[in-house]
Amino acid sequence: MSKSNGRSSGALDVWCWLLGLVLLLTGLFFVIGGAKLVSLGGSAYFLAAGIVTVLAAIQLFRRRATAVPLYALVLIGTLAWAWAD
């Protein structure tokens, strides 16, 4: 019985790491692009969303449950921003 728990934990570690890497790269893309947009006088939303996405990625690497509400904040903020735009 303990072997199946070890396998699922190992698989979960891999998936957390892969999803964290995707979120980190996406967040960095938005941070860099958002900073450029802000410097040109555009919206600061992409910079803020990128920072929160990077924070969610860090929490996911650390296997903390707070990654989920952080990413949910980005998702809800994006929906609100798109609706307002």
Side-chain angles (χ1 to χ4, degrees), residues 52-75:
V52 176
T53 303
V54 167
L55 292 175
I58 291 168
Q59 291 299 83
L60 196 57
F61 284 134
R62 297 174 66 207
R63 304 251 336 246
R64 305 279 188 215
T66 55
V68 176
L70 281 172
Y71 189 73
L73 181 66
V74 172
L75 180 63

Side-chain angles (χ1 to χ4, degrees), residues 5 10 12-14 22 28 31-32 36-37 45 48 50 54 57 59 64-65 69-70 74-76 79:
N5 287 341
L12 183 61
D13 286 341
V14 171
V22 168
L28 289 174
V31 166
I32 293 166
K36 176 76 172 171
L37 187 61
Y45 177 74
V54 167
Q59 291 299 83
R64 305 279 188 215
L70 281 172
V74 172
L75 180 63
I76 292 167
L79 291 173

